[in-house]
Amino acid sequence: AMANDGGSGSLKTWGKLGLVTWNVNGLLPCIRRMGLRTLQELLDSFGPEVAIICVQETKMEQRQLDATLAKPAGWDAFYSFS
């Protein structure tokens, strides 16, 4: 990641940030297609170098959001429903 130093015109580098963005076309079916059982297994499959995972097209309704989806261990999760 890089950040401006506050106006001197130079940039400071802190290292790399792993970011994944993925259109899954249905989160729960995607987990099953990959031969996994839980969201936790899916997140763990990315490894420790990935810090942020953005998942689009989850095709979920709020009533489907249980504790394992809402707060997977070691992650912060944010959902938007339309």
Side-chain angles (χ1 to χ4, degrees):
M2 299 180 88
N4 194 307
D5 72 343
S8 69
S10 64
L11 295 174
K12 180 177 180 180
T13 302
W14 284 297
K16 294 182 180 180
L17 172 69
L19 171 69
V20 172
T21 181
W22 188 10
N23 184 326
V24 295
N25 194 25
L27 179 59
L28 300 176
C30 175
I31 291 169
R32 288 190 296 272
R33 282 193 307 269
M34 294 184 66
L36 304 172
R37 293 174 294 141
T38 65
L39 175 61
Q40 189 70 53
E41 289 178 346
L42 176 64
L43 296 173
D44 291 346
S45 73
F46 287 100
E49 60 277 352
V50 175
I52 300 170
I53 302 172
C54 303
V55 180
Q56 298 89 33
E57 297 295 328
T58 62
K59 298 187 179 179
M60 292 179 57
E61 296 177 4
Q62 191 168 3
R63 63 180 174 79
Q64 295 175 287
L65 193 62
D66 66 13
T68 63
L69 294 170
K71 184 64 175 111
W75 294 86
D76 292 317
F78 302 92
Y79 290 85
S80 175
F81 300 96
S82 53

